[in-house]
Amino acid sequence: MSLFVNVRRTAFIALCLALAGPASAAVTPTDADAQAAREVAESLRYGHYEDVTLDDHWANQAFAQYLKTLDPQKAYLLDTDISEFSDLRRDFDDAMVDGNLERVYALYDRYQQRLTSRLKWLVKTLDAHPKFDFEKDDRLALDRKDSPWADSENDLDTLWRKRLKNAWLSMSLSDKTDEDIGKTLSERYSNQLNRIEQTNDEDILTLIMHAVTGSIDPHSEYFSPRQGESFDIQMKLSLDGIGALLQSEGEYVKVSSLVPGGPAEKDGELKPADRIVAVGQEDDEWTNVVGMRLDEVVDLIRGPKGSIVRLEVIPAQSLDVTKTREVDITRDTVKLEDQAANAKVIDVKREDGMHKIGVIHVPAFYVDFDAWQAGEDDYRSTTRDVARLIDELKAKKVEGIVLDLRNNGGGALQEANSMIGLFIDRGPTVQVRDARGRISLYGDTEAGTHYDGPLTVLVNRLSASASEIFAGAIQDYGRGLIIGSQTFGKGTVQTISSLTQGEIKLTRAKFYRISGDSTQNKGVKPDIDFPSVIDPKEIGESSLDYALPWDQVRPVKYRRHGDPARYLAALRARHESRAEQEPNFSYLQSEVSLSRTLRAQQTSISLNREQRKREMDAQEAEQLALENKRRRALGLKELKSFAELDAASDHVSAADSDPQKTPEIDDAIEDKEAKDPIDQAQLQESAEILLDYAHLNGDK
């Protein structure tokens, strides 16, 4: 049920192949490939949640998705290539149903030829020691996905000269010599040419099937035997690495999320959206990974437990790709204990004195399935851990509890369901509708509540799946306030089935709240919004191609436990008044506004050296001014340059945790949110809002 399970599989298949080159000779489909295509078509038609019809309309959709998978930036194929294979706009469906993939493979072969030719052109151009004029007022468009296909090779030559010029300029601004730049770029493209020969029939079939399933919905996917085996290992969390999920973004490999409790998350230096440009093994030389296949980058990052991997990254917030930093992470295995819920007490100062608010951070919905299935009485689970933490918070006489589900990508549905039962007195929790329209109702059957006091749930855009079920139920019951930003919108259920060759993951059901609203696409909208630097157009279910739509089913009968809506106007007014005065919150709101402006403005990048520096300096000056405004308000030392921002960030080291230790409250332990002053400000404000709510509701 986890969002990141689905993201992980999508990234592993589609993105590791997006940069994969062709073999030296054309690859033609085998009988096994034909059988796989027929079985995938059959699975989609008769096993998918939606009523899938593989007709001419779908063929056109699949053809477009195939082209997007092959050449998303329209940098290799020509308009004449698209026209030549336009028969697939109407025949893709027949190719799948009949297993006749010759034309589909032929288009891939054409892409192979174009890619090989382009890489050879780049190496030849670099071998000629090119001289670039950085005084001309050229600009390079950053996103070509909506551009028309090029009319000729000359048009693509012009595009790639600009791309090469941009790469050269970016590296020269990092004080690299022309000799080093030429050598680095030549090696990059030569390595891509060498890796072309590694692509085999299995890779090509998987890429094609990814386009096919991706044209139905973003979470249905085909897996070759090799890729399915690798994912199964990841699911068991038995691979030693850094605990980061990666995806491809153009020539870069980007961090999409951090695994709760993993080495990278504990270290705190690597952030989502950081782009990795080089990987080093302890004291060995760096390996440049720009343009490298995702699976190859993953292999470089993995290694023996206890060893150190070095990453050179472009920080997520960096506006200039020449500004990188190094991160050292000790590899380890992610254990169940590392993802355990934890708690602390926050003090809220008011005129009448100090008030205590409890905070329970739930990184994931977990359960020790092996111990549970073995019938052990004291098996580990989210619900059991949270119940224990509630008892400890009660003993400390807190006036309310904040459940922090930020970045919780989901997990075990049974745990989300049972954890809701800690806060309500029996009742339905979630509806699940299958492909036949049958609805299954899940709920809490135990009488009584474990905690009936004031409650808020803190969420963000990376709260997904089971997290959304929990937050939606709390909101529907009126049991507490939902605070933060709109959640991811992952409201579908997938199952995995074996095929003659490989596996297929199909969307088979959808989640619905007890109010009848789906969590799909729209997610859960908070009662009180916090600003977020995450662009919902870039991250979230609604940003994915062919995401299933939001819809409704009939609501079920349930008894509301409260009515927070009656206090929302007053709560929002008090929150907004505090936010204006709180330096970290004010900074966050300004940063969100600046990020939106920069995203709107930065559709292209200058290839003029002085103009490029002016643009970068201006953007960095704005960010530095925002940071120093925050620092002045907090009484912190101001920074003199943008380069000091990362080194002088207000990180607080988290105390070492004992994995064998039962979750408990320790006022001396700072949890991961404390490493980021903005995250901590959100947590503190959540406690303020909860205290307001408790007083307005008469719960003192």
Side-chain angles (χ1 to χ4, degrees):
M1 305 301 174
S2 169
L3 156 72
F4 298 124
V5 165
N6 292 300
V7 169
R8 182 185 301 166
R9 296 191 77 159
T10 301
F12 185 79
I13 295 171
L15 300 171
C16 76
L17 292 174
L19 290 176
S24 56
V27 179
T28 56
T30 65
D31 291 342
D33 297 334
Q35 178 64 20
R38 288 191 290 267
E39 291 183 16
V40 168
E42 186 84 357
S43 298
L44 291 172
R45 293 164 73 189
Y46 301 110
H48 197 275
Y49 175 82
E50 294 281 85
D51 184 12
V52 175
T53 302
L54 302 186
D55 53 13
D56 288 355
H57 173 76
W58 174 82
N60 186 57
Q61 191 167 286
F63 179 65
Q65 188 70 6
Y66 186 31
L67 291 175
K68 186 174 182 178
T69 303
L70 287 175
D71 191 2
Q73 290 298 310
K74 300 179 179 178
Y76 302 104
L77 293 169
L78 300 174
D79 185 61
T80 52
D81 297 324
I82 310 306
S83 297
E84 183 179 341
F85 289 92
S86 62
D87 55 294
L88 288 174
R89 293 186 187 276
R90 64 179 184 278
D91 295 340
F92 213 124
D93 55 330
D94 297 328
M96 286 295 298
V97 173
D98 299 335
N100 185 4
L101 299 177
E102 279 76 10
R103 288 290 289 166
V104 182
Y105 268 66
L107 175 52
Y108 186 86
D109 185 47
R110 179 63 54 84
Y111 162 73
Q112 292 175 328
Q113 296 169 19
R114 298 296 188 195
L115 175 59
T116 301
S117 175
R118 180 54 54 190
L119 290 172
K120 289 180 177 178
W121 180 91
L122 286 165
V123 173
K124 182 179 179 181
T125 301
L126 288 165
D127 287 346
H129 306 291
K131 299 295 182 182
F132 296 103
D133 182 0
F134 294 116
E135 295 183 0
K136 292 179 62 177
D137 292 329
D138 287 342
R139 297 192 72 85
L140 174 67
L142 295 177
D143 189 354
R144 284 179 43 83
K145 66 177 183 293
D146 295 324
S147 300
W149 295 97
D151 289 329
S152 66
E153 288 284 2
N154 288 336
D155 290 342
L156 287 181
D157 287 350
T158 300
L159 168 65
W160 278 98
R161 285 191 187 96
K162 285 187 175 182
R163 285 190 164 195
L164 199 55
K165 184 177 180 180
N166 177 59
W168 198 288
L169 176 58
S170 296
M171 296 176 73
S172 69
L173 290 173
S174 296
D175 298 325
K176 288 184 170 57
T177 66
D178 284 352
E179 182 180 357
D180 287 340
I181 294 171
K183 180 181 178 182
T184 298
L185 292 176
S186 183
E187 287 179 354
R188 176 189 303 177
Y189 299 124
S190 294
N191 287 340
Q192 284 184 252
L193 268 172
N194 292 335
R195 289 193 295 271
I196 281 174
E197 296 183 358
Q198 300 173 12
T199 304
N200 55 37
D201 173 68
E202 184 176 294
D203 292 332
I204 299 171
L205 176 68
T206 305
L207 183 144
I208 293 170
M209 293 302 107
H210 170 75
V212 167
T213 56
S215 67
I216 303 297
D217 86 284
H219 302 294
S220 292
E221 301 179 55
Y222 168 82
F223 298 93
S224 69
R226 175 171 56 86
Q227 290 157 341
E229 179 183 355
S230 179
F231 175 72
D232 290 340
I233 294 173
Q234 292 183 59
M235 282 292 290
K236 294 176 183 176
L237 298 177
S238 59
L239 281 177
D240 294 328
I242 63 172
L245 305 183
L246 308 177
Q247 68 181 66
S248 188
E249 185 180 77
E251 290 188 313
Y252 295 100
V253 167
K254 183 179 75 172
V255 178
S256 61
S257 64
L258 302 179
V259 177
E265 193 257 2
K266 287 181 176 180
D267 179 77
E269 294 301 314
L270 193 66
K271 304 292 184 182
D274 283 355
R275 286 167 288 176
I276 301 172
V277 297
V279 178
Q281 310 299 329
E282 305 228 354
D283 297 327
D284 291 346
E285 293 185 3
W286 291 97
T287 299
N288 187 293
V289 299
V290 177
M292 187 178 288
R293 286 171 43 160
L294 179 65
D295 54 344
E296 291 180 318
V297 178
V298 170
D299 286 341
L300 286 173
I301 293 175
R302 286 175 182 161
K305 179 179 178 180
S307 62
I308 295 174
V309 63
R310 295 180 296 140
L311 304 178
E312 182 183 358
V313 302
I314 302 170
Q317 298 301 319
S318 177
L319 302 171
D320 186 350
V321 297
T322 66
K323 303 292 176 67
T324 64
R325 60 184 172 87
E326 295 181 16
V327 177
D328 293 355
I329 301 175
T330 301
R331 299 179 176 101
D332 202 352
T333 302
V334 181
K335 305 179 184 68
L336 177 63
E337 290 83 358
D338 296 326
Q339 298 187 341
N342 56 80
K344 69 176 183 178
V345 174
I346 288 182
D347 291 327
V348 178
K349 186 177 181 179
R350 293 290 169 91
E351 291 182 357
D352 60 349
M354 299 298 292
H355 299 262
K356 293 181 178 180
I357 297 295
V359 175
I360 299 178
H361 176 229
V362 183
F365 287 96
Y366 54 86
V367 62
D368 187 341
F369 281 108
D370 292 338
W372 174 59
Q373 291 176 343
E376 296 181 17
D377 293 333
D378 196 27
Y379 65 88
R380 195 70 175 275
S381 76
T382 309
T383 304
R384 290 181 170 213
D385 286 346
V386 170
R388 187 181 299 114
L389 293 169
I390 288 173
D391 291 339
E392 295 179 15
L393 289 170
K394 284 180 178 178
K396 289 184 175 288
K397 300 188 183 305
V398 298
E399 298 178 49
I401 292 177
V402 175
L403 276 174
D404 186 0
L405 299 185
R406 289 176 298 176
N407 304 323
N408 183 323
L413 173 61
Q414 70 182 62
E415 286 305 307
N417 180 64
S418 61
M419 200 169 95
I420 294 168
L422 297 177
F423 304 97
I424 67 169
D425 183 11
R426 286 193 296 197
T429 55
V430 63
Q431 303 183 74
V432 181
R433 183 182 186 273
D434 67 17
R436 297 184 180 180
R438 298 173 301 191
I439 295 178
S440 299
L441 186 62
Y442 297 84
D444 171 42
T445 59
E446 294 186 13
T449 60
H450 202 83
Y451 176 74
D452 58 6
L455 177 71
T456 66
V457 181
L458 180 58
V459 295
N460 64 6
R461 190 63 170 171
L462 294 179
S463 302
S465 197
S467 294
E468 297 175 285
I469 291 170
F470 181 89
I474 295 298
Q475 190 174 56
D476 289 339
Y477 272 106
R479 179 59 189 85
L481 292 165
I482 309 301
I483 299 174
S485 52
Q486 190 169 359
T487 60
F488 192 93
K490 171 66 167 62
T492 55
V493 183
Q494 287 73 39
T495 60
I496 300 174
S497 301
S498 296
L499 304 174
T500 302
Q501 179 177 317
E503 300 173 326
I504 188 166
K505 175 164 67 76
L506 285 179
T507 296
R508 301 296 299 269
K510 284 177 77 172
F511 291 129
Y512 294 85
R513 293 163 58 162
I514 55 176
S515 63
D517 290 350
S518 173
T519 56
Q520 170 63 14
N521 217 301
K522 290 187 179 181
V524 176
K525 192 177 187 307
D527 299 308
I528 297 177
D529 288 301
F530 284 173
S532 172
V533 294
I534 297 178
D535 185 356
K537 294 180 180 178
E538 298 294 330
I539 296 179
E541 187 78 7
S542 59
S543 71
L544 302 176
D545 291 336
Y546 304 111
L548 298 189
W550 176 89
D551 62 347
Q552 295 171 299
V553 296
R554 293 179 61 182
V556 297
K557 292 183 179 181
Y558 60 96
R559 178 177 62 85
R560 286 179 61 83
H561 290 248
D563 187 19
R566 62 186 295 194
Y567 305 114
L568 285 182
L571 291 171
R572 287 169 181 158
R574 295 184 186 186
H575 157 62
E576 290 168 4
S577 177
R578 279 190 301 269
E580 290 177 359
Q581 303 300 318
E582 212 290 319
N584 284 319
F585 240 93
S586 178
Y587 170 83
L588 179 59
Q589 290 172 325
S590 298
E591 186 181 39
V592 170
S593 178
L594 176 60
S595 295
R596 288 174 179 168
T597 300
L598 294 179
R599 278 195 294 264
Q601 292 176 347
Q602 203 167 10
T603 58
S604 64
I605 192 167
S606 176
L607 301 181
N608 178 291
R609 184 188 300 273
E610 295 304 316
Q611 179 63 22
R612 175 79 153 266
K613 291 176 66 176
R614 284 194 296 270
E615 289 177 0
M616 293 299 106
D617 289 346
Q619 292 171 355
E620 290 177 357
E622 287 186 85
Q623 287 196 325
L624 183 62
L626 282 181
E627 171 64 15
N628 280 333
K629 179 181 178 181
R630 182 184 76 87
R631 288 176 166 270
R632 285 193 298 272
L634 293 171
L636 299 173
K637 181 181 178 181
E638 293 187 38
L639 304 178
K640 295 180 180 179
S641 68
F642 184 82
E644 295 181 11
L645 255 179
D646 184 62
S649 60
D650 302 313
H651 290 313
V652 177
S653 298
D656 293 334
S657 60
D658 181 355
Q660 302 303 321
K661 191 176 182 181
T662 299
E664 63 180 5
I665 302 169
D666 186 342
D667 295 328
I669 293 179
E670 295 288 348
D671 64 9
K672 73 182 185 65
E673 285 81 11
K675 296 181 182 181
D676 189 323
I678 304 303
D679 281 353
Q680 186 64 17
Q682 290 187 340
L683 202 57
Q684 185 70 38
E685 178 58 19
S686 297
E688 296 273 5
I689 293 171
L690 178 56
L691 187 60
D692 287 343
Y693 175 55
H695 289 174
L696 288 171
N697 200 37
D699 298 318
K700 297 183 179 179

